[in-house]
Amino acid sequence: MSNIGLIIEERAANIGNFLVGRLLPFREKRAVGPFVFIDHMGPAALNDFQNLDVAPHPHIGLSTLTYLLEGSIQHKDSLGNDIEIKPGAVNWMTAGKGVVHSERTPEYLRKTDKNLHGFQIWVGLPKELEQSEPTFQHTEASGIPQWEVDGLQYKLIAGDLFGRKSTVPVHSKLFFLEIKNTEAERVNIGCELFGEVGMYILEGSVQIENNTYSSRQLLIAKNARLCEFEMAENSTVFLFGGEPFEEERFIFWNFVNSDREIIEKAKKNWHEQNHGAFPLVPGDTDEYVPLPKNLLNSKLSR
């Protein structure tokens, strides 16, 4: 019997002036462990007149994880952080009761050709932290655990695995692991994984139980303890997941919470531009992403 419970194909989604590949949420699988949202950005070649410009927008009840493979993004938030994220580094912003941020092409790259490739991820917060004060931490690429075993290159972007721990300050039991190779290799993770497990194939292909899966597919495992597969040469895969929360998480636009009423309040505060609830982003106050009109009076979806 196959250990693959679900196969999710990457789906195109527009985030303003940039097209991404959406992986989560999916109608048959709203979350994998605490991971509730994953966008695969690019790879995209941007001309000298094309730039990423995601204006200030709000979040509650989640942590954002930005991880780039290529290119650069300037992050600014309502906490006063203004930092460039480069390949291999991790931006980890915990929204808690409310935070606002923007994501743009850095000024020095706005009139040149450039590339952009990476992931934007939302991780739900434990119930007791959903209304916490917002925080932010930037971790340089040098602070991410990396190692090589039997021709496989591992990078523990977040969480705990193999007795190693990423310095990204996660709030629940989870993992986000990159595996790369140059030669075809068999991988046996054994009993290291836990909770719910997803595998995203970025490049190349993998073979599991005599079935071959190719790039831009997300595989959801039935059993975390049965993680064994073969990677074709020059492949890159990401394993992610962890312990799911006991309470259901609701997702509405940019808001995540276990309490519908808190989301309704956040909708109202953002629509009315209540800067007590959602402060302005220093250095980026000329525009913002409004709450879509069609969502203002709509009910929450799961």
Side-chain angles (χ1 to χ4, degrees), residues 39-281:
D39 270 355
H40 174 212
M41 304 180 293
L46 304 178
N47 294 325
D48 55 359
F49 58 88
Q50 295 175 310
N51 293 295
L52 176 72
D53 278 305
V54 182
H57 57 282
H59 291 294
I60 66 167
L62 57 84
S63 292
T64 61
L65 188 160
T66 305
Y67 179 70
L68 295 183
L69 301 164
E70 192 175 8
S72 179
I73 293 176
Q74 194 73 30
H75 165 100
K76 294 183 180 181
D77 62 44
S78 54
L79 299 173
N81 297 293
D82 183 352
I83 193 163
E84 181 182 359
I85 180 169
K86 296 181 178 181
V90 175
N91 265 18
W92 178 264
M93 182 180 69
T94 297
K97 66 181 183 180
V99 75
V100 184
H101 73 138
S102 63
E103 297 153 300
R104 301 184 185 273
T105 299
E107 197 62 38
Y108 74 95
L109 293 175
R110 296 185 72 83
K111 295 182 180 179
T112 64
D113 294 345
K114 57 267 178 186
N115 297 318
L116 186 62
H117 190 198
F119 294 94
Q120 291 278 19
I121 296 171
W122 298 354
V123 180
L125 291 173
K127 186 174 179 62
E128 65 272 15
L129 294 178
E130 288 184 316
Q131 288 292 92
S132 62
E133 293 293 328
T135 60
F136 174 86
Q137 178 168 315
H138 177 85
T139 302
E140 294 291 354
S142 58
I144 303 298
Q146 302 180 50
W147 68 98
E148 182 173 340
V149 178
D150 297 331
L152 297 167
Q153 294 88 48
Y154 294 87
K155 185 180 295 185
L156 184 57
I157 300 164
D160 297 75
L161 274 183
F162 305 108
R164 293 174 166 88
K165 182 179 178 64
S166 170
T167 56
V168 174
V170 301
H171 302 292
S172 62
K173 194 167 174 54
L174 60 83
F175 54 88
F176 183 31
L177 178 74
E178 177 187 280
I179 309 176
K180 301 182 71 170
N181 70 339
T182 53
E183 303 294 331
E185 297 286 350
R186 187 166 190 83
V187 185
N188 189 347
I189 303 295
C191 295
E192 292 288 340
L193 304 183
F194 53 87
E196 297 180 334
V197 177
M199 174 193 287
Y200 176 66
I201 306 165
L202 176 68
E203 298 172 316
S205 64
V206 302
Q207 188 175 69
I208 303 174
E209 299 153 340
N210 297 318
N211 294 311
T212 300
Y213 304 95
S214 56
S215 62
R216 304 211 173 198
Q217 287 186 314
L218 171 59
L219 313 179
I220 308 299
K222 294 178 183 177
N223 187 336
R225 299 290 181 174
L226 300 177
C227 190
E228 187 172 346
F229 53 96
E230 295 180 21
M231 294 176 64
E233 60 183 16
N234 298 316
S235 293
T236 302
V237 302
F238 291 87
L239 292 171
F240 67 94
E243 298 295 347
F245 298 120
E246 293 183 5
E247 316 87 7
E248 182 178 10
R249 289 298 180 277
F250 301 103
I251 303 177
F252 186 91
W253 193 46
N254 296 325
F255 306 134
V256 174
N257 209 276
S258 60
D259 188 329
R260 293 173 184 263
E261 292 304 314
I262 290 177
I263 292 180
E264 290 298 329
K265 185 177 180 181
K267 285 170 53 180
K268 183 175 186 294
N269 284 334
W270 182 251
H271 177 66
E272 297 176 353
Q273 282 296 281
N274 179 345
H275 298 313
F278 291 114
L280 293 169
V281 175

